[in-house]
Amino acid sequence: MADIPNGDLLDRIAKDFTDDRDVAMGTMFRSPGLRVGGRIFAFLGHRGELIVKVPGDRVGELIATGRAEQVVMGNRTMREWIELPALGDRTATLTLWRDVAREAHQYVGSLR
């Protein structure tokens, strides 16, 4: 995924889940992503941002930090989806994205 903006970061995050048989790479809107139990929990947006599904109350907390924005598709605001743009520092981006991807994995995994 090196030719996809921040695809290498998603690859590194995916390695965190190699011991989880329920996690697999997949696609969402033709973008690479991670699935747990067949459901997407994280994927890269077209601008290279990480998009994740987290509980509604967590959405507000992450937006309040200034590091996340709520996902809007068309005219619809997705209440459990946020996007995390890359930070200026790739190491900081990876740290943030890993933490939030773990939260998303746990949340989406619990919905089964």
Side-chain angles (χ1 to χ4, degrees), residues 64-106:
T65 68
R67 293 185 177 165
E69 297 175 19
Q70 199 146 22
V71 174
V72 177
M73 294 187 177
N75 293 328
R76 185 171 174 213
T77 299
M78 309 305 288
R79 65 183 176 86
E80 294 183 318
W81 289 93
I82 56 166
E83 60 182 59
L84 299 150
L87 305 173
D89 178 281
R90 290 182 61 75
T91 302
T93 298
L94 181 60
T95 299
L96 173 64
W97 285 11
R98 271 188 164 140
D99 291 345
V100 179
R102 285 185 192 114
E103 287 183 52
H105 168 260
Q106 184 176 17

Side-chain angles (χ1 to χ4, degrees), residues 38-71:
R39 294 179 174 200
I40 288 282
F41 66 91
F43 68 99
L44 286 178
H46 295 290
R47 296 181 313 273
E49 70 278 15
L50 184 69
I51 300 175
V52 295
K53 183 173 184 164
V54 293
D57 58 336
R58 188 67 173 125
V59 167
E61 292 171 9
L62 289 165
I63 291 171
T65 68
R67 293 185 177 165
E69 297 175 19
Q70 199 146 22
V71 174

